[in-house]
Amino acid sequence: MISKLCQRFGGSATRSQEKRVFRVTKTGHLGAKILMMFSTVVLLSCNPPQKDYPLRLSTNSWVGYEPFYIAESMGYFSKDAIHLIEMPFSLTMDQSLRAGTLDAAAVSLSRALSLVGAGHDITVLMILNWSNGADQLIAHPSIKSVVDLKGKTVGAEENTVNGYLLQRALQINGLSISDITFKHTQNTDVADAFRAGEIMAGAVYGAEIPILLSLGARPIFDSSDIPGEILDVLIVRTPYLEQNPDKIEQLILAWFKGVDHLKHIAAGAKRPIGLMSDKAFKAAIRQIKFASIIDNTDFLQNTAKKLEALINLRLALTNSLGISRERSRTSQTKPLINSVPFFDAISKVGE
C-alpha cells in the first residue's frame, strides 16, 4: 500500500507536500491528526535516507526556531541541501527519527534527554536559545513567594521544562519536592486544574500563562531567574552526522545568519516570512534569548563541560521528582555532545 501511495506522489515528497502534511495545528480534529501522522509515514517513507538526500530538519511553530525559517526565506542555505519540516507532534518526530526519515531536530534539552532515554542514537550539536521569562511558575494570589508553596498542591508536567522549572524554584528557595504535594499536570491542563481548585500553583508556558493571569493568579518565579538553564538544542542522528558533515556545517552557519538578521528586524528592518504572525512574534521574542557564537563557545568549550554539568543537574532533579516509569522515558543515559561541527563552522564565518 505504501509503495502505491509513493507512486501516486511520484516517489517523492515535495516541499509543498511536506508543508501541507505537517502544518496541522493542535486545535485540529482527531481525524486530521491521525491523517497527518499516517501521511508523515507515507511521504517520508517514499524517500529512504541517502547520503545525497537533503537534510530533513524537524521544528515546530515556536519563536525560538524562527531563525531557521528566516534563513530559508533569505536564501542562507540551499533548499536542495536542507528541508525544514514543521512537525507539531512529538510522537511523529520520535517515529520519524527512529525510522531514519528525519535527520535532525530543534528540541528542548528535556526532549533531547527523553529521546536518548527512548534509545535514539542522537548527538547534541549546539545551543539554539534559552528561555528568559517564557516559562513561569504562577500561583494563587494568596501565595506571595515560592516559600509559601510549602504544604500546597502544585501542578507541573513531569519530564519537561515545567517540571524542571518547579524543581529549580524549590531548590533555590530552600525547599524540595517533598515540601509540596506534587500533581502531574500537562501544560494544557494547568489552568483547568487551577480553576477547579485542584492546585494552588502551576508551572506553565505559552497560552496557559495569560489564562492563569486572567483567573487572578500571579507569577512568583520564571525562567529569567535561572538564565541559560531552560535550553533548546540542535540534535542530529549520529549516523547522519558522520556521513554528512558538510550539510550540518551549512545548517549551523545558516542559523547564525538568521539570528543576526533578527537583530536588524529589532532595529526596524522588515521581517521576512516566518511561521508566526508579527504580533505573536513580537510578544514572544521578548522572553527568549538566542544563543550567540560566544554563548555556544562558552557552553561547548573544554569538551562541553558547562553543558554536561547542566545535563547532570537536569537528570538529578528528574530522578528526585519521582517520575513514574509509565510517564517518563528519560534514563541516566546521556546524549553524545559533539562540538566539532560548531567550531568547524564558526571558523569559516566571514569567509
Side-chain angles (χ1 to χ4, degrees):
M1 180 178 179
I2 295 291
S3 61
K4 290 182 179 179
L5 287 169
C6 286
Q7 292 172 7
R8 170 69 179 83
F9 284 114
S12 175
T14 66
R15 179 81 173 108
S16 61
Q17 287 167 347
E18 287 171 350
K19 285 183 177 180
R20 287 199 301 271
V21 168
F22 292 110
R23 294 195 176 181
V24 178
T25 66
K26 287 174 63 178
T27 57
H29 294 295
L30 177 60
K33 293 181 179 181
I34 294 173
L35 176 61
M36 189 282 292
M37 293 179 68
F38 176 71
S39 300
T40 298
V41 176
V42 172
L43 290 184
L44 291 179
S45 296
C46 291
N47 289 301
Q50 301 172 10
K51 190 175 186 302
D52 59 351
Y53 190 82
L55 183 157
R56 293 155 295 185
L57 173 69
S58 169
T59 70
N60 58 47
S61 184
W62 157 240
V63 67
Y65 307 145
E66 190 80 353
F68 283 126
Y69 288 89
I70 289 176
E72 181 184 49
S73 297
M74 299 299 293
Y76 293 150
F77 59 76
S78 167
K79 293 183 180 180
D80 292 331
I82 299 169
H83 282 185
L84 303 184
I85 302 174
E86 186 195 355
M87 190 171 288
F89 303 114
S90 59
L91 176 61
T92 309
M93 184 187 72
D94 186 298
Q95 293 170 334
S96 298
L97 280 171
R98 191 175 299 281
T101 50
L102 276 179
D103 308 306
V107 297
S108 69
L109 181 58
S110 294
R111 181 69 181 136
L113 294 177
S114 293
L115 289 168
V116 172
H120 288 278
D121 183 8
I122 60 171
T123 296
V124 176
L125 295 180
M126 68 177 193
I127 309 302
L128 298 177
N129 60 70
W130 62 75
S131 177
N132 189 40
D135 302 88
Q136 301 182 13
L137 178 58
I138 301 181
H140 189 275
S142 64
I143 296 174
K144 305 302 182 184
S145 68
V146 174
V147 174
D148 295 333
L149 290 177
K150 188 171 184 178
K152 304 296 192 300
T153 301
V154 184
E157 189 170 358
E158 296 174 342
N159 199 28
T160 67
V161 295
N162 293 355
Y164 180 78
L165 182 76
L166 171 60
Q167 286 277 67
R168 288 291 281 135
L170 294 172
Q171 185 182 61
I172 289 171
N173 286 276
L175 300 176
S176 70
I177 200 69
S178 62
D179 290 313
I180 66 169
T181 299
F182 176 74
K183 181 178 176 61
H184 170 72
T185 313
Q186 292 188 358
N187 188 73
T188 52
D189 295 332
V190 170
D192 287 340
F194 181 84
R195 186 185 288 109
E198 297 172 1
I199 59 175
M200 290 292 286
V204 291
Y205 63 87
E208 295 300 296
I209 292 176
I211 296 174
L212 283 167
L213 296 179
S214 71
L215 296 174
R218 56 185 296 274
I220 56 173
F221 189 89
D222 66 48
S223 52
S224 67
D225 295 311
I226 47 172
E229 291 193 24
I230 294 183
L231 305 171
D232 282 338
V233 295
L234 177 63
I235 62 170
V236 63
R237 290 190 301 107
T238 304
Y240 185 89
L241 172 62
E242 294 168 350
Q243 296 176 9
N244 299 272
D246 292 345
K247 288 174 185 171
I248 295 298
E249 186 175 292
Q250 184 179 161
L251 180 65
I252 291 173
L253 287 172
W255 165 264
F256 286 113
K257 289 180 180 179
V259 170
D260 188 61
H261 194 84
L262 280 176
K263 298 176 184 177
H264 298 295
I265 295 172
K270 184 178 180 181
R271 176 170 165 258
I273 296 174
L275 285 181
M276 305 178 71
S277 69
D278 283 342
K279 182 178 180 180
F281 176 81
K282 290 176 182 178
I285 197 70
R286 293 190 291 268
Q287 294 184 321
I288 70 166
K289 183 182 186 302
F290 291 101
S292 66
I293 289 176
I294 294 175
D295 294 325
N296 268 281
T297 300
D298 183 38
F299 272 99
L300 298 175
Q301 66 185 346
N302 299 322
T303 63
K305 285 185 178 179
K306 185 172 181 178
L307 181 56
E308 183 80 18
L310 184 58
I311 289 172
N312 289 337
L313 174 62
R314 182 69 60 92
L315 291 173
L317 290 178
T318 296
N319 288 340
S320 67
L321 194 57
I323 295 173
S324 64
R325 289 184 179 273
E326 292 77 12
R327 288 196 292 257
S328 174
R329 302 178 73 182
T330 299
S331 72
Q332 284 300 297
T333 304
K334 299 175 186 177
L336 295 172
I337 303 172
N338 189 341
S339 60
V340 172
F342 164 75
F343 286 111
D344 282 350
I346 65 171
S347 69
K348 299 180 180 179
V349 172
E351 289 185 359

